[in-house]
Amino acid sequence: MLDRQHLSILREVDRMGSLTAAAERLNVTQSALSHTIRKLEERYGVSMWEKDGRNLRLTEAGRYIVALAQRVLPQIERAEDVLSDYRYGQRGSLKIGMECHPCHQWLMGVTKPYLVDWPHVDLELTTSFAFGGVAALTGYEIDILITPDPIEAPSIHYLPVFDYELVLAVPADHSLAAKDHAEPADLLDETLFTYPVPPERLDVFTHFLAPANCRPRHHRNVETTEMMLQLVAAGRGVSAIPNWLVRREAAELGVRPVSIGKSGIQKSIHLGLRSGEEAVDFIAGFLATSRMASA
């Protein structure tokens, strides 16, 4: 019978690349690990892996079990954490995923009071998802997803926590700084700095440039807000960025916010969670603290 042990072994072999390393990770002997999988192979008449020189290569059946393990094991592990929390009266492991690059500063304003109010809750943050934020949420890899672009999915509930405007950050002496708003053609000769997100997921492209069939002269990805604004202040280009970040840095760096298009691009940060879990006390506490935090 296929059980959790088989899933764990196949997942670790896939992660570690060898039986020895997987056995060490699982704290079992290599012979015990091999014996367990050999019994599984005999039961179902398929091989889970085959040797490729000194390495192992998963068979099609092995890859199927690994994919199953990646979906099922996080849910089992999460359930064990919750049961342990209930046992000790703690109920405290909150995993937050973030799809919003500029939201780190806002999140810091939320986590500080939350950690004070909930001293027995372990808070974890990740920005890396194997299958995307919604999949991580439905797969119980995270408990809350912070995103400016909520994707509807069964059993997922979104709560808007604050609104903002996506603007162009431009140098104070730039010709655009004197305008009420930018037009798509204004960026034809510009270098546009954005966070490392595909253009098809960037509002400055999908809602502004693409409908006008315009593109900037150059498009560069920048990992951090600080570096992006430094480049803008140095006259290297312009950047699409939330207005609250420009306001914080405008005086010191000499940058100005300019609306993108006549109506601007209005956005909201949402918190996504599994339906029904908003009633869990420490999750409800995080949601309440988020509502009170302002950008």
Side-chain angles (χ1 to χ4, degrees):
M1 180 182 296
L2 184 66
D3 61 25
R4 180 183 178 180
Q5 185 180 29
H6 299 122
L7 300 182
S8 298
I9 291 174
L10 267 295
R11 183 176 68 172
E12 293 308 321
V13 169
D14 182 56
R15 284 177 175 176
M16 309 303 293
S18 74
L19 293 181
T20 301
E24 291 177 358
R25 181 73 176 264
L26 294 171
N27 198 29
V28 298
T29 65
Q30 181 176 331
S31 60
L33 185 152
S34 299
H35 176 74
T36 298
I37 296 302
R38 186 162 58 251
K39 296 291 288 185
L40 177 68
E41 293 174 329
E42 291 173 354
R43 179 180 180 87
Y44 292 101
V46 295
S47 297
M48 293 293 118
W49 57 57
E50 54 191 21
K51 289 192 174 182
D52 183 11
R54 294 185 176 181
N55 299 318
L56 295 176
R57 182 173 62 242
L58 291 173
T59 62
E60 185 175 353
R63 290 194 298 271
Y64 172 79
I65 297 301
V66 168
L68 176 66
Q70 290 171 337
R71 295 194 304 270
V72 172
L73 288 178
Q75 299 186 43
I76 295 176
E77 291 159 359
R78 174 59 177 156
E80 290 175 338
D81 289 342
V82 171
L83 291 175
S84 177
D85 292 338
Y86 274 116
R87 177 184 178 184
Y88 295 107
Q90 179 176 327
R91 293 190 58 203
S93 177
L94 181 60
K95 299 179 180 179
I96 299 173
M98 189 156 55
E99 287 185 327
C100 173
H101 280 80
C103 288
H104 281 88
Q105 288 156 303
W106 169 80
L107 184 59
M108 293 305 100
V110 176
T111 56
K112 184 176 180 180
Y114 180 79
L115 290 172
V116 171
D117 293 340
W118 297 86
H120 300 297
V121 172
D122 292 328
L123 196 63
E124 299 180 32
L125 174 66
T126 181
T127 56
S128 300
F129 311 108
F131 306 104
V134 171
L137 187 59
T138 57
Y140 287 76
E141 296 177 56
I142 58 175
D143 301 304
I144 293 177
L145 174 65
I146 302 174
T147 179
D149 300 301
I151 299 174
E152 296 300 323
S155 74
I156 299 299
H157 170 70
Y158 291 98
L159 173 72
V161 288
F162 75 88
D163 301 326
Y164 67 94
E165 181 183 357
L166 187 71
V167 298
L168 285 180
V170 304
D173 59 356
H174 195 287
S175 59
L176 280 172
K179 299 182 66 172
D180 291 331
H181 64 274
E183 298 290 349
D186 292 327
L187 299 189
L188 290 175
D189 293 325
E190 296 288 346
T191 294
L192 176 64
F193 300 116
T194 69
Y195 296 102
V197 176
E200 60 270 20
R201 293 187 59 193
L202 290 169
D203 294 299
V204 67
F205 281 94
T206 59
H207 297 322
F208 183 60
L209 293 170
N213 198 27
C214 291
R215 291 189 64 84
R217 174 175 291 181
H218 301 292
H219 176 212
R220 300 284 186 266
N221 289 331
V222 180
E223 289 283 347
T224 67
T225 300
E226 291 77 9
M227 178 58 71
M228 194 179 298
L229 289 175
Q230 289 286 350
L231 290 168
V232 171
R236 302 295 182 89
V238 301
S239 175
I241 195 170
N243 58 345
W244 89 82
L245 291 173
V246 182
R247 287 198 305 267
R248 289 181 177 179
E249 307 292 340
E252 181 178 349
L253 292 178
V255 297
R256 296 287 186 273
V258 178
S259 289
I260 300 175
K262 189 173 182 179
S263 300
I265 297 179
Q266 310 303 322
K267 300 284 292 179
S268 295
I269 294 299
H270 291 74
L271 301 184
L273 61 155
R274 293 178 288 273
S275 297
E277 293 195 357
E278 62 271 18
V280 177
D281 52 4
F282 62 89
I283 292 180
F286 185 87
L287 299 180
T289 305
S290 298
R291 293 189 194 99
M292 291 186 291
S294 63

